Amino acid sequence: MLSGALLLAGLPVHASPQQATPPQSSGPPPGDPSAGLRLRLDTQGLAPAQVDASQRLLDDALARLPPQFMNQLDRAVPVRWSDALPHASYGRAERTDLLLNRRLLPALTDGSAATLRSDRPHRSQRRELLATVLHELTHFLDREQRLSDDPRLLDLAGWQVKVHRRSRLADNRFVDRSPDPYELTDPEEFVAVNMEYFLLDPAYACRRPALHRWFSAYFDWSPPQDDCAAGYPFLDTSDDPDAKVVGILDPERVYQVDYLLAEGNDQLMSRWGHGMLRLVVCAPGRPRGPDCRLDLQHHLVLSFRAFVDDVQLSSWRGLTGSYPSRLFVLPLSQVVEEYTKDQLRGLRSVPLRLERDEVAGLLERAAKLHWSYDGRYYFLTNNCAVETFKLLHDGVPRLVAERLDSITPTGLMRQLREQGIADTAVLDDRREALRLGYRFDSLRERFQAMYDVARGELALPPASVEGWLDASPDARRPWLRDAGLRASAALLLLEQAAYRREVLLAREDLKRRYLDRTTDDPRFADADEQLQQVLEQSGFLSRPAELLDGQAGYGLPQHGELQWLAAEGARRRVGLQRLGEQLTAEVRELLDPAARARLDGAQANVTLLGDRLRALHEAGDGLRLP
């Protein structure tokens, strides 16, 4: 069998339709005993009971195959029990013959294979043998029909296109929630493994709906399926302690999808902005329509990043791929605050022209990424723009033919506009764009206005608010003691922003030094156990599938797993809150002395201004600020 990983390195990529076109039957007419697939058991050396058990297994496999499969694989396939296979192997498709491992024949013959547990995905030996026959027959079919070369199947499987679409990535990074890691070996094994589950697991249509549709369309046939859980589950990683750990995204409540661009700043890793997708989710009970754009508290953001609380990346690790790249589902309000208040970066939200079925397909693909994808962040080749492009490419097949191949967030927005996919006209009227939520301005202008109030009263040296915030808290403090009522109120807003920034910088510094072990500070040893607990317990926030480790199931979580997620997630969240409280004092002592001094100084400034403002307010008669 050829290695798909080797083939994919230079595999050309072609546009593909949304659904595979079922092939025409190539087999002889029905009723012909020589028509279609036949399995011929080699009975040499087999006792009658062994022949009978083997034939029942083969008949069971044939009964589960689609008619198109039988017609396309129009030949006899010899089946032999072999002593030459490795001990762990159940079977193998040779050039012409299907081999089964003879060590498994006794249990199949006496019936114990039906209850004998297996450590393989299908649990019992009998079930695993049945899956093996279907798996190996699929290899025979794939060699003739090349299902594994279909571009749309490769999109769905996870061999993603490179940004310029000349070839595909050699690695499949959809490693979580896999029914069998063997499927990630190459596209041929992916097709064979998924054919097992398509034919044997009624839950396959719920757990891997897009692949189920592909197989159903290809064979113009589908097996029985379970009732699926409603909507698409996602892990709520917001900072709201009262929010449910697991949310359900209902495609019927999503009015539009926007391309959400965080404007760039002077930081190397942020110079070209950050690209995300915004889901305009309607409030419960509201009919889907334009008014849903006003339901900001229900809107969600699909954002590729390394960790839930990271919006900046260190330059070196971002270049070398040391960071993971995972898809988070975040409240719009949290994203707006991160960028406009903490980083002083504006946001532009541009609607994408998508049909209803395309919106549903995009959300389904996002759910698969959320639960299964573990990519690697590379600044030049696999950044947020590239990840967002791949999500659009794989989730909306119509866009495969469009020229969307930018490696920068701003470049992707430009191409979406040029291809008529993004409606940037909503940004033309700035005031109307702000009112309707197409634009979220940075608080930089408001902060500058506050600073101008204080500077006018106190003659502060820096000309800009950035210059003021860049100064050390100790250097700012003497001016705070002389501020009047209006200046104190303005400076309090700025000092609160400065404190938030110091918290983010200190947290990033601590995490980097602890994870990289670049410090020999003995104080880390004292807090090591608790810090390690925090890292272990919070891992699910960046990798939702971790909550389901040890649970049966694959793909999109279904009914029983959703109950487990809710209970286990709530337990983890309570544990994290408790550990966080225990670590607060200790972690502060672990900070770099300069970082700790700035953090303490910023906190002292906030306290000073709060006390001063209260005292001045008691003696004053009102307050008006811009």
Side-chain angles (χ1 to χ4, degrees):
M1 185 183 305
L2 294 175
S3 169
L6 295 176
L7 292 175
L8 286 174
L11 184 68
V13 180
H14 308 285
S16 59
Q18 183 159 0
Q19 296 287 355
T21 301
Q24 297 298 315
S25 171
S26 57
D32 185 343
S34 64
L37 170 65
R38 289 90 67 201
L39 300 181
R40 291 183 176 170
L41 177 65
D42 182 353
T43 61
Q44 185 175 0
L46 299 183
Q50 293 175 323
V51 172
D52 183 60
S54 302
Q55 193 60 56
R56 286 200 305 271
L57 174 69
L58 300 183
D59 290 345
D60 190 359
L62 289 174
R64 295 174 184 271
L65 290 173
Q68 286 277 19
F69 189 112
M70 304 279 285
N71 289 336
Q72 290 179 12
L73 194 56
D74 179 22
R75 61 187 175 90
V77 175
V79 179
R80 293 189 287 113
W81 291 98
S82 170
D83 293 314
L85 293 176
H87 180 83
S89 173
Y90 272 59
R92 185 168 65 206
E94 299 280 80
R95 189 174 66 85
T96 58
D97 295 8
L98 193 165
L99 304 184
L100 296 175
N101 196 325
R102 195 178 185 97
R103 75 172 180 84
L104 303 169
L105 182 56
L108 178 70
T109 304
D110 65 21
S112 62
T115 56
L116 191 60
R117 301 295 289 176
S118 166
D119 58 359
R120 295 166 65 96
H122 294 288
R123 302 303 176 95
S124 77
Q125 277 196 7
R126 175 61 162 73
R127 190 80 167 174
E128 197 65 48
L129 274 168
L130 176 60
T132 298
V133 174
L134 298 172
H135 180 112
E136 304 306 334
L137 289 175
T138 302
H139 279 314
F140 285 121
L141 180 68
D142 189 34
R143 291 171 188 172
E144 296 184 6
Q145 302 295 326
R146 300 309 305 167
L147 286 73
S148 56
D149 286 344
D150 182 85
R152 181 59 182 156
L153 176 71
L154 293 171
D155 291 341
L156 298 176
W159 279 277
Q160 297 175 302
V161 295
K162 294 182 179 179
V163 70
H164 295 296
R165 291 176 290 176
R166 290 186 294 270
S167 60
R168 292 183 182 269
L169 298 172
D171 292 332
N172 188 326
R173 299 299 308 179
F174 287 76
V175 296
D176 285 336
R177 302 282 296 162
S178 170
D180 184 350
Y182 191 50
E183 68 173 345
L184 305 177
T185 305
D186 55 44
E188 291 90 342
E189 294 302 341
F190 186 91
V191 168
V193 168
N194 278 266
M195 192 66 174
E196 299 173 28
Y197 285 85
F198 173 69
L199 296 174
L200 295 177
D201 185 5
Y204 186 77
C206 307
R207 297 182 177 281
R208 289 190 161 177
L211 285 163
H212 182 273
R213 288 195 300 273
W214 188 91
F215 282 109
S216 296
Y218 188 91
F219 293 112
D220 193 22
W221 173 93
S222 64
Q225 63 185 71
D226 288 345
D227 292 330
C228 302
Y232 302 120
F234 67 91
L235 192 68
D236 188 333
T237 53
S238 69
D239 49 17
D240 180 2
D242 297 323
K244 292 182 178 180
V245 178
V246 180
I248 301 295
L249 183 58
D250 180 1
E252 292 302 312
R253 286 180 54 200
V254 178
Y255 168 61
Q256 277 182 325
V257 177
D258 290 7
Y259 182 68
L260 183 65
L261 175 68
E263 296 168 348
N265 58 18
D266 293 334
Q267 299 294 321
L268 172 63
M269 306 302 285
S270 309
R271 188 166 299 169
W272 291 275
H274 183 75
M276 301 162 277
L277 295 178
R278 171 187 176 186
L279 307 181
V280 180
V281 182
C282 305
R286 185 192 293 278
R288 198 173 59 236
D291 287 348
C292 295
R293 297 203 68 92
L294 304 178
D295 298 329
L296 298 182
Q297 70 274 27
H298 296 283
H299 294 188
L300 298 170
V301 174
L302 305 178
S303 178
F304 287 95
R305 50 177 69 182
F307 304 102
V308 66
D309 58 355
D310 285 343
V311 287
Q312 298 280 8
L313 298 174
S314 73
S315 300
W316 176 247
R317 295 188 72 188
L319 288 170
T320 60
S322 298
Y323 285 111
S325 177
R326 294 171 180 148
L327 182 63
F328 292 87
V329 184
L330 303 168
L332 175 66
S333 58
Q334 181 175 321
V335 173
V336 170
E337 180 167 308
E338 283 178 350
Y339 286 102
T340 64
K341 183 181 291 186
D342 296 337
Q343 296 193 47
L344 302 184
R345 298 164 65 181
L347 291 162
R348 285 176 272 166
S349 189
V350 178
L352 301 180
R353 295 185 175 97
L354 301 178
E355 301 296 330
R356 288 305 311 163
D357 64 326
E358 293 175 336
V359 170
L362 183 65
L363 298 181
E364 182 181 282
R365 184 64 179 181
K368 177 178 175 65
L369 283 156
H370 182 64
W371 290 102
S372 300
Y373 183 64
D374 185 17
R376 285 294 173 267
Y377 181 95
Y378 289 90
F379 178 55
L380 295 177
T381 59
N382 202 54
N383 54 38
C384 62
V386 175
E387 294 282 30
T388 302
F389 151 74
K390 291 187 293 186
L391 172 54
L392 290 169
H393 175 280
D394 298 342
V396 186
R398 173 174 61 89
L399 302 185
V400 171
E402 305 295 344
R403 294 184 57 81
L404 303 176
D405 56 2
S406 176
I407 64 170
T408 68
T410 52
L412 182 56
M413 174 175 269
R414 182 181 64 253
Q415 291 181 345
L416 287 167
R417 182 191 69 240
E418 291 173 352
Q419 300 301 322
I421 301 165
D423 180 14
T424 58
V426 298
L427 302 174
D428 292 345
D429 186 331
R430 186 182 188 89
R431 179 172 296 181
E432 189 70 0
L434 286 171
R435 186 182 73 84
L436 295 176
Y438 294 115
R439 182 186 291 276
F440 300 90
D441 275 352
S442 160
L443 291 184
R444 194 269 171 198
E445 292 183 6
R446 177 167 173 78
F447 285 174
Q448 182 66 46
M450 295 295 100
Y451 181 68
D452 290 341
V453 168
R455 190 176 186 226
E457 178 182 318
L458 299 171
L460 302 174
S464 70
V465 67
E466 288 87 357
W468 173 257
L469 294 176
D470 286 342
S472 72
D474 290 345
R476 297 195 301 264
R477 191 170 301 122
W479 300 94
L480 308 183
R481 297 191 179 100
D482 297 329
L485 184 63
R486 297 180 75 246
S488 293
L491 289 172
L492 177 60
L493 178 68
L494 298 182
E495 288 302 316
Q496 289 170 337
Y499 178 70
R500 284 195 305 272
R501 186 166 70 166
E502 295 298 342
V503 169
L504 290 173
L505 291 173
R507 183 170 58 192
E508 181 61 27
D509 174 71
L510 176 64
K511 180 165 54 181
R512 185 183 68 252
R513 290 195 300 130
Y514 180 75
L515 292 177
D516 291 349
R517 296 298 200 208
T518 56
T519 177
D520 56 2
D521 190 331
R523 292 172 298 174
F524 273 95
D526 296 335
D528 185 80
E529 183 177 350
Q530 286 182 306
L531 282 168
Q532 191 62 39
Q533 285 185 58
V534 169
L535 291 172
E536 291 175 356
Q537 291 296 313
S538 63
F540 76 95
L541 296 175
S542 296
R543 179 178 161 252
E546 182 186 305
L547 276 179
L548 288 167
D549 283 352
Q551 299 294 304
Y554 61 93
L556 299 183
Q558 293 302 304
H559 302 283
E561 293 157 302
L562 294 177
Q563 296 175 11
W564 170 270
L565 283 168
E568 180 66 9
R571 185 187 69 80
R572 293 272 197 103
R573 178 176 282 178
V574 170
L576 279 175
Q577 291 171 348
R578 185 180 64 254
L579 285 170
E581 292 168 359
Q582 294 172 358
L583 276 172
T584 298
E586 294 181 55
V587 166
R588 183 178 288 271
E589 294 304 313
L590 296 175
L591 294 173
D592 177 80
R596 186 169 67 250
R598 290 186 66 95
L599 185 62
D600 291 342
Q603 189 173 42
N605 286 354
V606 171
T607 301
L608 185 156
L609 281 171
D611 293 342
R612 181 168 179 77
L613 193 59
R614 281 188 292 273
L616 291 171
H617 190 69
E618 291 175 359
D621 57 357
L623 177 68
R624 295 182 63 187
L625 289 173

